[in-house]
């Protein structure tokens, strides 16, 4: 029961987080598009060739910095994913090791009960045959 509740809570949190992330992503994209539109309008107002070259160099530097920072962020995300994977594996194996002795004990008890019932049935059948 508790496991199902925890699973439902986990799924709901995942859904809520994903939904808020997509809303935030759409807002960020909208802000970026507005900013880029402003930049383009500013560029169109530039008159001299020197200003145009300076703006192009700045834009190129910005793109290179963005590319490098994204690469760093991707590496960090991959590292976090690997850490999460090993932690989840550790937790599952730990839970399995905790539950295994109890499971074996329950299986043993059920098998003993079935064996006793089978033996009792055979014993009762033998007594009935002897009475005849």
């Amino acid at each position: 029961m508790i496991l199902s509740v925890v699973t439902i809570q986990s799924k709901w949190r995942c859904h809520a987080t994903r939904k808020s992330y997509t809303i935030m992503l759409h807002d960020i994209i909208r802000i970026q598009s507005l900013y880029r539109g402003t930049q383009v309008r500013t560029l169109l107002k530039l008159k001299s060739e020197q200003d145009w070259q300076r703006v192009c160099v700045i834009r190129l530097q910005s793109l290179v910095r963005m590319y490098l920072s994204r690469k760093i962020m991707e590496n960090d995300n991959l590292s976090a994913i690997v850490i999460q994977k090993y932690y989840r594996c550790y937790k599952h194996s730990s839970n399995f090791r905790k539950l295994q002795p109890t499971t074996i004990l329950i299986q043993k008890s059920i098998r003993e009960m079935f064996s006793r019932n089978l033996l009792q049935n055979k014993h009762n059948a033998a007594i009935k045959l002897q009475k005849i």
Side-chain angles (χ1 to χ4, degrees), residues 49-124:
E49 183 69 26
Q50 188 177 10
D51 287 342
W52 178 254
Q53 287 177 353
R54 186 178 56 83
V55 168
C56 288
V57 167
I58 291 172
R59 180 70 179 146
L60 184 62
Q61 288 173 345
S62 169
L63 290 173
V64 169
R65 287 187 192 118
M66 180 181 65
Y67 172 78
L68 293 175
S69 65
R70 279 190 181 168
K71 284 296 178 186
I72 291 171
M73 194 168 81
E74 285 176 9
N75 288 338
D76 290 346
N77 285 344
L78 290 177
S79 300
I81 289 170
V82 168
I83 291 170
Q84 289 172 352
K85 179 180 84 170
Y86 281 107
Y87 178 73
R88 287 182 186 131
C89 179
Y90 165 77
K91 287 299 284 183
H92 286 297
S93 63
S94 173
N95 288 339
F96 177 75
R97 276 188 248 113
K98 286 179 186 175
L99 292 176
Q100 190 176 18
T102 308
T103 306
I104 291 172
L105 182 65
I106 291 170
Q107 289 173 345
K108 177 185 158 200
S109 300
I110 290 174
R111 287 184 185 124
E112 285 177 356
M113 181 183 73
F114 285 142
S115 295
R116 269 190 248 112
N117 286 343
L118 183 63
L119 184 62
Q120 185 67 35
N121 289 342
K122 286 182 180 181
H123 180 69
N124 290 340

Side-chain angles (χ1 to χ4, degrees), residues 33-46 52 55 59:
S33 68
L34 291 172
Y35 179 72
R36 288 185 184 129
T38 305
Q39 279 185 325
V40 168
R41 284 188 291 279
T42 305
L43 286 176
L44 292 176
K45 290 179 184 176
L46 295 175
W52 178 254
V55 168
R59 180 70 179 146

